[in-house]
Amino acid sequence: MAASTPPSWTTGTVPNSFAALPAGRLGTLGGQLMRLLNRAQQREIAQLLGPLDGLDVLEVGPGPGVLLGMLARTARHVTGVEPSREMRALAIRAHAGAIAAHRLDVRAGDAAATGLPDAAVDLVVSVNTVAIWPDLDAGVAELRRVLRPDGRLVLSWHGGERPARTARALVLREELLHRIEDALRARFRDVRRTLTRRCTVFEARDTAG
Ligand SMILES: C[S@@+](CC[C@H](N)C(=O)[O-])C[C@H]1O[C@@H](n2cnc3c(N)ncnc32)[C@H](O)[C@@H]1O
């Protein structure tokens, strides 16, 4: 991992190269494990999002791309923005058909620098990345920028009603969950926190819905 990788806002330490910001062979192995261990969470989030017919969607930090595939089933177009070269490679390999059909695209970037133009998408979703970002406010500001005026931002982190045993150590304390809500409230009118079985989910939009 590059020595210049900034620390995350939750821990003050540089993200590990296994699962947080996967790099090298260990990162590829981490991505393959994530594909299995986090699949149930991606299903819960896909269900919470509902049908995405006609929508342009951005997923931030898709890792190996499990949720990308679920989103692409109904969305008009899905973009995955992912800082890890190894994760981009796994996601591209998993979705070669949808990429060739121009329904999906995976590119380099991160939460604070997606590379998308203003008001480009109807929905931004990110699962298990928000606590890893170096700068919470910079990430929220960027995701607000790329959303259309009536768009929806959905951020999910390990938690929920019954966190998986493997994820219990990652559950965020209440003070950090409040900081996520505060950062969202600074930029969106309507912010809600909900729990699925394994995920703590923040939904933000400008219009009640
Ligand atoms: C724990 S993995 C989660 C992957 C996938 N979303 C899942 O739930 O299985 C964290 C992912 O976030 C990406 N990531 C790390 N820092 C990021 C940042 N600042 N912005 C966006 N994504 C980031 C990592 O490269 C990795 O793919």
Side-chain angles (χ1 to χ4, degrees):
M1 184 182 303
S4 59
T5 302
S8 78
W9 70 273
T10 50
T11 63
T13 61
V14 172
N16 69 67
S17 56
F18 178 61
L21 186 53
R25 275 203 203 157
L26 189 65
T28 299
L29 182 66
Q32 285 159 345
L33 257 180
M34 258 185 264
R35 198 185 266 158
L36 301 173
L37 293 178
N38 295 344
R39 183 172 292 273
Q41 292 184 14
Q42 322 299 329
R43 267 201 222 105
E44 290 175 12
I45 297 303
Q47 194 172 2
L48 177 138
L49 293 175
L52 305 172
D53 304 73
L55 300 187
D56 294 318
V57 179
L58 166 64
E59 185 184 357
V60 175
V66 173
L67 182 59
L68 284 177
M70 297 177 186
L71 300 171
R73 277 183 208 146
T74 57
R76 177 164 58 196
H77 186 268
V78 181
T79 303
V81 165
E82 169 57 60
S84 158
R85 185 163 42 92
E86 288 77 2
M87 295 304 96
R88 291 197 300 277
L90 288 182
I92 287 168
R93 206 176 309 145
H95 300 300
I99 292 170
H102 305 290
R103 289 189 290 108
L104 176 67
D105 136 52
V106 177
R107 52 171 86 175
D110 62 36
T114 62
L116 267 61
D118 291 355
V121 294
D122 305 289
L123 167 69
V124 177
V125 58
S126 193
V127 180
N128 300 331
T129 78
V130 63
I132 301 166
W133 300 352
D135 184 330
L136 176 62
D137 292 318
V140 171
E142 169 68 355
L143 303 185
R144 179 71 191 86
R145 183 188 69 75
V146 303
L147 267 177
R148 295 183 178 134
D150 55 349
R152 178 183 179 200
L153 171 59
V154 175
L155 300 177
S156 171
W157 185 257
H158 303 281
E161 289 153 2
R162 285 190 67 184
R165 195 145 23 110
T166 48
R168 276 182 206 153
L170 298 169
V171 172
L172 294 176
R173 56 184 197 276
E174 190 57 34
E175 179 222 333
L176 295 174
L177 298 174
H178 270 300
R179 280 179 60 186
I180 296 173
E181 280 171 336
D182 288 345
L184 291 169
R185 286 212 177 92
R187 303 199 182 263
F188 292 87
R189 258 181 282 174
D190 182 35
V191 176
R192 294 168 195 199
R193 191 199 305 185
T194 53
L195 304 182
T196 65
R197 188 176 158 90
R198 297 176 188 80
C199 306
T200 297
V201 187
F202 299 92
E203 291 194 65
R205 56 171 97 214
D206 265 349
T207 49

